[in-house]
Amino acid sequence: MSNVSIIDLSKNEEKLERFLFKHLSFKNILDCKIRTFLNSFAFIFLIATYFLMSCNILFPTSMFTEISPLIPLTITFLLLFINSWVSYTYIRKKYSDYNIKYDLLVNYTSFIQTFRTEQLRIKISRFRISPSNIEDYIEYYESQWNEKIQRKWTKIGIITILLLPIWTEYVSKNIGNFFDQKFLLVIILAITIAIIIILFRSLIETVFFIEVNKKKKTADILKMLKRSFHTVL
């Protein structure tokens, strides 16, 4: 890094990340309050699905009990779909200048990255970033990300190794016993677990990787900004 010292990069780091991920946070960009309402109810119905399924396993009584988890599970999927469509309609209307494609999972990663890059380009003077030193910033953030991601995955790997035997023992004792008897329940269980895994992955990223991912996202935004510099030049 020849143009910017490590000290200057470090000083500018907090200021740049505050702008990109607090001022231009996902919540602020997609300020659609109905999303929180729909997500909350979807989570409640997902819990209801798990509760009814557990009751069916512990207290098997009738065919109605066996199919009852399908009702809240269907409502959960319906609410998630409505949420994704409402979010798409809102964001497409609010940011009509951007080419926004429908995202079922409501991530809109490409749009948000493009939007943040454009906002950074408009206010670039605040952060002392220029065509002559932007490569230094990119290298700094990529090195920060590589270093931190290795530490995080090492910790998660250790936790996974410790918990895997417990999970395997639970599955062998509980799931295998009723697989042949209640095929419908197994399907519902598989769908519910899939949703829980998606939510768990999101939780893991939020708890363990939110600060780490900021480094990677910042580097990617700076790369897009660098290409825009070349286009202008």
Side-chain angles (χ1 to χ4, degrees):
M1 299 182 184
S2 56
N3 297 314
V4 186
S5 69
I6 296 294
I7 295 175
D8 291 335
L9 288 169
S10 181
K11 286 180 179 179
N12 209 23
E13 182 177 4
E14 183 179 354
K15 182 180 178 182
L16 180 57
E17 290 183 7
R18 191 188 307 117
F19 173 74
L20 292 174
F21 305 110
K22 187 174 182 180
H23 178 69
L24 299 176
S25 65
F26 184 88
K27 179 181 178 181
N28 288 339
I29 296 173
L30 274 73
D31 186 20
C32 189
K33 293 179 176 59
I34 194 172
R35 290 181 64 252
T36 304
F37 175 81
L38 292 171
N39 283 335
S40 299
F41 270 88
F43 182 74
I44 291 172
F45 280 105
L46 183 63
I47 295 297
T49 302
Y50 181 79
F51 174 76
L52 291 173
M53 188 170 54
S54 300
C55 289
N56 189 282
I57 295 170
L58 297 173
F59 311 105
T61 55
S62 65
M63 182 61 184
F64 175 77
T65 307
E66 186 171 340
I67 66 172
S68 58
L70 282 174
I71 299 172
L73 184 62
T74 302
I75 295 174
T76 298
F77 277 115
L78 181 61
L79 288 172
L80 291 175
F81 174 76
I82 294 173
N83 172 46
S84 67
W85 185 255
V86 168
S87 299
Y88 172 66
T89 305
Y90 172 85
I91 195 173
R92 186 179 61 176
K93 181 178 179 180
K94 184 174 181 179
Y95 303 102
S96 56
D97 293 339
Y98 291 83
N99 181 26
I100 302 171
K101 297 180 180 179
Y102 176 71
D103 186 343
L104 181 62
L105 299 178
V106 201
N107 290 323
Y108 294 103
T109 305
S110 178
F111 158 70
I112 290 177
Q113 182 173 324
T114 303
F115 182 78
R116 285 171 172 164
T117 304
E118 177 62 17
Q119 295 303 306
L120 179 59
R121 185 191 65 80
I122 293 171
K123 300 181 179 181
I124 195 68
S125 60
R126 291 186 183 181
F127 308 99
R128 300 177 183 177
I129 300 174
S130 66
S132 62
N133 65 21
I134 192 168
E135 188 62 38
D136 295 336
Y137 280 91
I138 294 172
E139 290 180 11
Y140 174 78
Y141 279 100
E142 286 187 333
S143 65
Q144 288 282 305
W145 178 74
N146 287 326
E147 178 184 346
K148 294 179 184 296
I149 199 73
Q150 289 177 6
R151 293 179 185 174
K152 294 292 184 181
W153 274 119
T154 300
K155 295 177 182 178
I156 292 175
I158 293 171
I159 295 172
T160 303
I161 291 171
L162 294 174
L163 294 179
L164 188 59
I166 300 174
W167 171 251
T168 304
E169 183 69 17
Y170 172 81
V171 170
S172 64
K173 283 187 175 182
N174 296 280
I175 306 301
N177 291 337
F178 67 91
F179 179 82
D180 295 328
Q181 302 174 3
K182 300 191 175 184
F183 182 70
L184 180 60
L185 257 187
V186 173
I187 295 176
I188 298 174
L189 178 62
I191 295 173
T192 306
I193 289 177
I195 297 174
I196 291 174
I197 288 173
I198 293 172
L199 295 175
F200 182 72
R201 179 180 178 274
S202 178
L203 178 65
I204 287 292
E205 289 185 350
T206 301
V207 175
F208 291 98
F209 292 99
I210 185 168
E211 293 300 324
V212 177
N213 286 336
K214 285 180 182 179
K215 312 301 180 185
K216 176 63 175 173
K217 290 177 181 179
T218 303
D220 291 339
I221 289 170
L222 291 171
K223 287 177 182 178
M224 290 185 66
L225 189 61
K226 179 183 176 182
R227 288 195 291 270
S228 71
F229 285 157
H230 289 167
T231 302
V232 172
L233 293 174

